[in-house]
Amino acid sequence: MAKTALVTGAGSGIGRASARLLAQAGWRVALVGRRRDALEAAAAECGAGALVLPCDIAKPDEVEAIFVEVAKEFGRLDLLFNNAGRGSPPKDIDETSLEDWFGVVDANLHGSFLCARAAFALMRRQAPKGGRIINNGSISAYAPRPGSVPYTVTKHAITGLTKTLSLDGRKHDIAVGQIDIGNALTEMAQKMTEGVPQADGSIRIEAVMDPEHVAQSVLHMASLPLESNVLFMTVMATKMPFVGRG
């Protein structure tokens, strides 16, 4: 029987590339995101059987409904790629709008918590029990960029979520890991090619990488047997300013 995966933020970027690669590897995939048109375009790349599930992951009722649908259509869930997220314009904390703060926290933290919660509940009760959750962290979980309070705070929180679920999941055969990504050339990272603020106050263009390379890493993590787990993996553009940042 083919394994099943649910990918959030699947309409574009890393989520879309990961869903496509999982499907090519024989997985049945459910694609989650806010825009139906983008999800349907991504599903067309995944072949027959891809499940399109429009959802605002910050809304508990909507999240609950999509996991009910996955259980109904697939019978089980083997992988959640908790990928969806957003950033905000680089600003000092006192210049950061409350709209941006709550928007980033909703997407990056509340959404990841709600999806992990629903996936955990399904995985521990299905037969055979177990599965894998991969959280999308960031190298900002280790070293912040200037003016990135909302994003950096939420990505540190994702690391806490990963560690705790990795521990709590053991008794249920649920493996939990995190992929920390640097400068994959998605829509959100397009600004890297135009110049972004550095710790020394300068504005510089940064090296980027193809999101397909992240998807290959996600597939590797997902393909391991449940007795093995990549707890943290960093995948980054080789020449970006992370090691030695500042």
Side-chain angles (χ1 to χ4, degrees):
M1 179 182 293
K3 289 188 174 181
T4 63
L6 186 152
V7 179
T8 67
S12 63
I14 291 166
R16 186 168 180 162
S18 298
R20 181 174 62 246
L21 203 60
L22 285 162
Q24 290 172 356
W27 292 65
R28 299 180 66 192
V29 292
L31 293 85
V32 174
R34 288 181 297 172
R35 298 177 297 156
R36 176 177 286 277
D37 57 342
L39 293 176
E40 289 178 345
E45 299 174 358
C46 294
L51 191 59
V52 171
L53 298 171
C55 172
D56 181 344
I57 61 168
K59 295 182 177 178
D61 291 348
E62 293 189 20
V63 171
E64 199 67 33
I66 63 170
F67 279 86
V68 168
E69 187 66 19
V70 166
K72 177 183 174 182
E73 291 295 322
F74 290 168
R76 63 179 289 110
L77 180 64
D78 296 294
L79 171 69
L80 164 65
F81 181 27
N82 230 348
N83 166 69
R86 55 158 287 190
S88 60
K91 294 181 180 179
D92 289 345
I93 188 170
D94 59 317
E95 297 174 333
T96 299
S97 71
L98 292 180
E99 181 181 8
D100 276 337
W101 167 256
F102 287 115
V104 173
V105 171
D106 274 347
N108 295 4
L109 182 54
H110 291 156
S112 294
F113 166 82
L114 290 171
C115 289
R117 181 176 184 268
F120 198 99
L122 180 54
M123 289 173 178
R124 71 183 291 184
R125 292 176 175 86
Q126 62 193 9
K129 70 176 182 178
R132 189 180 305 273
I133 297 170
I134 300 174
N135 293 321
N136 185 339
S138 170
I139 59 172
S140 290
Y142 302 92
R145 289 184 176 277
S148 66
V149 166
Y151 187 79
T152 296
V153 167
T154 56
K155 292 305 183 179
H156 274 70
I158 292 300
T159 297
L161 179 68
T162 298
K163 289 180 177 180
T164 306
L165 293 185
S166 179
L167 180 62
D168 293 347
R170 289 177 181 176
K171 59 184 175 290
H172 305 296
D173 295 331
I174 299 172
V176 183
Q178 179 170 316
I179 185 163
D180 295 315
I181 302 161
N183 288 17
L185 189 53
T186 64
E187 184 177 328
M188 192 167 76
Q190 186 64 41
K191 59 190 176 183
M192 305 296 176
T193 65
E194 302 161 3
V196 290
Q198 305 295 312
D200 64 1
S202 65
I203 303 293
R204 298 180 194 169
I205 293 172
E206 294 190 9
V208 294
M209 64 176 175
D210 192 326
E212 188 78 12
H213 302 155
V214 180
Q216 291 167 359
S217 302
V218 171
L219 179 61
H220 167 69
M221 295 171 74
S223 299
L224 290 172
L226 290 179
E227 59 264 28
S228 301
N229 186 41
V230 175
L231 183 60
F232 292 99
M233 178 188 287
T234 299
V235 183
M236 55 180 276
T238 303
K239 296 182 179 181
M240 69 172 290
F242 170 51
V243 179
R245 184 186 288 188

